[in-house]
Amino acid sequence: MSVPVVFNYYSARHRRVKDVTVVDTNYALVLKHKKVNKEYTQASLYGRTMKLRVDLIKKFRAYATGRGFFKDSILTPPPADDCPPLTD
């Protein structure tokens, strides 16, 4: 995807409209910006497998630091042991 797609959606869970930017679709690199009690920005990386390729993680980190996130605020948690298996 050469141009990010920006859209808004209503979250019933949070009872508010959210702004979302989808940056790439081979995996999901999502940027969320919220205004609750203060402004809040979150970048998330989602993959189709339990383990993401190193180059995708590097691309995500470069994108996030380019958006102003501090390097020490970018977390890559280990896969959870108790997740149910993926089904088709």
Side-chain angles (χ1 to χ4, degrees), residues 1-8 19-25 29 31:
M1 177 180 295
S2 60
V3 178
V5 176
V6 179
F7 65 94
N8 300 324
D19 300 321
V20 177
T21 303
V22 179
V23 179
D24 200 320
T25 57
L29 195 167
L31 181 68

Side-chain angles (χ1 to χ4, degrees), residues 54-71:
V54 174
D55 65 312
L56 292 179
I57 294 171
K58 286 181 179 179
K59 186 176 183 178
F60 172 73
R61 289 177 179 271
Y63 177 81
T65 55
R67 298 287 301 182
F69 289 88
F70 296 110
K71 288 183 181 182

Side-chain angles (χ1 to χ4, degrees), residues 1-57:
M1 177 180 295
S2 60
V3 178
V5 176
V6 179
F7 65 94
N8 300 324
Y9 74 96
Y10 180 77
S11 170
R13 176 179 171 205
H14 296 111
R15 297 187 306 241
R16 71 187 74 237
V17 174
K18 295 185 177 185
D19 300 321
V20 177
T21 303
V22 179
V23 179
D24 200 320
T25 57
N26 291 324
Y27 54 93
L29 195 167
V30 179
L31 181 68
K32 300 176 188 175
H33 186 77
K34 305 175 192 176
K35 292 180 184 178
V36 184
N37 295 332
K38 60 180 182 174
E39 288 196 41
Y40 177 83
T41 302
Q42 174 185 344
S44 301
L45 176 63
Y46 300 95
R48 297 180 186 203
T49 61
M50 292 296 287
K51 187 172 181 177
L52 295 175
R53 295 188 330 255
V54 174
D55 65 312
L56 292 179
I57 294 171

